[in-house]
Amino acid sequence: MLKNVISPKNRIDHETFDRKIAPLRERLGVLQRSLRDAHIPVVIVMEGWDAAGITRSTKMVIQSLDPRGFTLHTIEQPTDNERMRPFMWRFWIRMPPKGRIAIFARSWYSRAISAEMQKPSWTKSLKGRIIAMNNFERQLADDGAIIIKFFLHIEKAEQKRRFEAREKDPLTAWLVTPALWELHHHYDLSYPVIDDLLEKTDTKSAPWHVLDATDEKHAVLKMYTTLVATLEKTLANRAKGKTIKHGDPLLPEKHPVKRSNGRQPGENTCTKEGRQPVLDHLQEEMLRLQALLFKRKIPLIILYEGWDAAGKGGNITRVARYMNPRGYDVIPVSAPDATEKSHYYLWRFIRNFPRAGHIAIFDRSWYGRVLVERVEDCCTKYEWQRAYREINDMEADFIYSSGGGIIKFWLEISKEEQLRRFEERTNDPLKQWKITEDDWRNREKWDQYNKAIDEMLARTNTKIAPWTVIESDDKWYARTKTLETVADYCEHLLE
């Protein structure tokens, strides 16, 4: 994509620049307000060679924007906290809410190249990063975000000239470091890598705009022209009622999950007295395994989904009872608040992903999109069908990027046992807080939920993040099986 970008024709004089840029600046300010009113998030990526003018070009763009409506992110080396998270985590949490603009002066692209090229097998690991970055951008675009990516291109000789000019100026000499000169000397080696990266991440959802940055005025004018044209087109389409839809959702292949092991209600009933010694042993094991995960900096997600009254709370209590509370978090998931609704739906979950060596326990999770939100019509069919692939991609990226693991539990109970527990809660003053009108209303839609559950399990039962069904009519059997599953998984993760 870099070939034939540089041309002597790409030069512009001051008078022409001032004449053409003035109306574009005014228009960009108007468009920002229109985007805010239309609740459309915008992500602008500024990438390019060192000394290509990323900082100056970014400055020229933000001068036309209301500072209350955008956030500028200058992406440098990750902080200690960010190093303990999956690679894309620090970019996910910086995504703008609806109606705001996020500008990245350097982004996931620079950081991917910087991080991966230092590894012996960097070509293979960079390929994995490319897949993750394309998935990331596709998900945002499918959700309605506008993604505009610029790459400022200059030739090696021009880069050298700019480095030398900066070194001669006392105000800018500090910007030119030995590390930058080292990168300059490897320009010819980096060129095909960057060109290939741009080619493989130039997608319909988020295309690249490669600009000749030899002349700053030319590059800035092209940048403004692209921004205005892209934003105007999107707003015009929205005004006509055209939704952002990049083709029909690609539904993952189904891998059906058996939701019963043949146990019948009351069969082989377990008692607290009979199971407590086993539970005590398993809970002591969890403390040991937690310490090993912490020592090896392996993050773990344990998520619980299941029928109302299936015993998620009791299971979580038993799993975490002996663990060090400083090393795990329990994240109870309910309906999203106003801030969470203004972001892409996975944003609020990714923010709570565990750092290296820690455990995050989700009491309900991102699967609400394909269960409650699907059945209760809180999202469109296109949105919940899209979510299967998005969820699988997110879980895979967490595992591959962090080296961690995900345990997914579905707690299954019979309709008769659920009714018995509902009535028990209703009649017990100490348990009445556990039962709500929503629980009874959801029960009336049992068949609809049953259908949604089957499809959810089948489409998200992946090789690296499979579902484990916990037969929960007998709560002591369920608690034991849950702890045994977690312990076995951790042992495997630590191998």
Side-chain angles (χ1 to χ4, degrees), residues 194-477:
I194 293 174
D195 191 48
D196 185 60
L197 176 67
L198 294 174
E199 185 73 36
K200 290 178 178 175
T201 56
D202 182 44
T203 64
K204 183 179 179 180
S205 302
W208 279 105
H209 303 276
V210 182
L211 309 179
D212 179 357
T214 308
D215 181 82
E216 181 188 79
K217 296 184 295 299
H218 166 80
V220 170
L221 189 60
K222 289 285 290 184
M223 197 173 287
Y224 263 90
T225 303
T226 302
L227 286 169
V228 169
T230 304
L231 300 179
E232 283 184 336
K233 181 179 179 180
T234 301
L235 286 165
N237 286 339
R238 298 292 177 91
K240 295 176 183 177
K242 294 182 180 180
T243 57
I244 299 297
K245 188 174 180 179
H246 302 279
D248 292 329
L250 179 62
L251 296 174
E253 183 180 346
K254 288 185 176 181
H255 299 281
V257 177
K258 187 177 180 181
R259 289 167 58 186
S260 172
N261 65 353
R263 287 174 57 89
Q264 300 299 317
E267 180 184 351
N268 298 326
T269 301
C270 300
T271 63
K272 180 178 181 180
E273 293 74 17
R275 285 287 168 168
Q276 196 60 56
V278 179
L279 287 172
D280 287 342
H281 170 71
L282 290 169
Q283 287 168 335
E284 289 172 0
E285 271 295 283
M286 280 307 306
L287 178 60
R288 181 183 70 85
L289 292 168
Q290 181 195 21
L292 290 175
L293 291 173
F294 180 81
K295 183 178 180 179
R296 299 190 190 179
K297 300 188 185 310
I298 300 174
L300 176 65
I301 291 174
I302 306 173
L303 73 84
Y304 285 82
E305 292 287 353
W307 291 103
D308 293 326
K312 292 181 289 296
N315 265 272
I316 292 171
T317 298
R318 268 65 186 187
V319 167
R321 176 162 287 173
Y322 286 11
M323 291 198 301
N324 187 327
R326 294 178 296 177
Y328 74 88
D329 292 295
V330 176
I331 299 101
V333 175
S334 55
D337 60 27
T339 299
E340 292 166 341
K341 284 182 179 178
S342 71
H343 285 83
Y344 174 58
Y345 80 100
L346 289 176
W347 176 83
R348 65 176 175 140
F349 303 108
I350 293 172
R351 290 174 67 215
N352 287 301
F353 275 7
R355 58 189 184 275
H358 287 247
I359 300 172
I361 304 174
F362 285 86
D363 182 359
R364 297 201 184 278
S365 67
W366 40 94
Y367 285 98
R369 172 57 56 110
V370 293
L371 286 180
V372 177
E373 293 182 44
R374 168 184 173 172
V375 175
E376 303 299 334
D377 293 323
C378 297
C379 63
T380 66
K381 182 178 180 180
Y382 172 71
E383 288 174 328
W384 63 255
Q385 285 190 333
R386 208 181 70 215
Y388 296 122
R389 181 185 178 191
E390 294 172 341
I391 288 169
N392 289 348
D393 287 344
M394 179 189 72
E395 292 176 352
D397 183 59
F398 170 80
I399 291 172
Y400 288 132
S401 182
S402 70
I406 298 178
I407 305 173
K408 304 189 300 193
F409 289 122
W410 173 259
L411 273 58
E412 181 74 16
I413 59 171
S414 64
K415 195 173 183 180
E416 296 74 21
E417 178 62 17
Q418 186 190 64
L419 177 60
R420 188 192 70 77
R421 294 184 186 183
F422 276 13
E423 292 174 341
E424 180 185 38
R425 291 178 177 185
T426 301
N427 297 325
D428 187 341
L430 297 179
K431 295 183 178 181
Q432 286 175 354
W433 64 274
K434 291 185 175 183
I435 190 79
T436 67
E437 288 299 320
D438 285 342
D439 294 330
W440 288 106
R441 186 171 54 81
N442 291 344
R443 180 175 166 80
E444 294 174 1
K445 298 182 179 181
W446 182 279
D447 292 340
Q448 290 173 258
Y449 274 102
N450 215 27
K451 179 181 177 181
I453 292 163
D454 276 340
E455 185 168 11
M456 175 198 79
L457 294 175
R459 294 202 187 277
T460 60
N461 185 44
T462 62
K463 185 176 181 180
I464 60 170
W467 282 98
T468 299
V469 174
I470 304 295
E471 302 81 3
S472 302
D473 275 14
D474 184 326
K475 64 182 182 181
W476 293 105
Y477 169 85

Side-chain angles (χ1 to χ4, degrees), residues 2 49 113 117 122-123 126 130 187-200:
L2 299 176
W49 296 98
I113 292 175
M117 289 188 71
W122 66 269
T123 52
L126 185 58
I130 289 171
Y187 181 101
D188 294 331
L189 294 174
S190 300
Y191 184 101
V193 175
I194 293 174
D195 191 48
D196 185 60
L197 176 67
L198 294 174
E199 185 73 36
K200 290 178 178 175

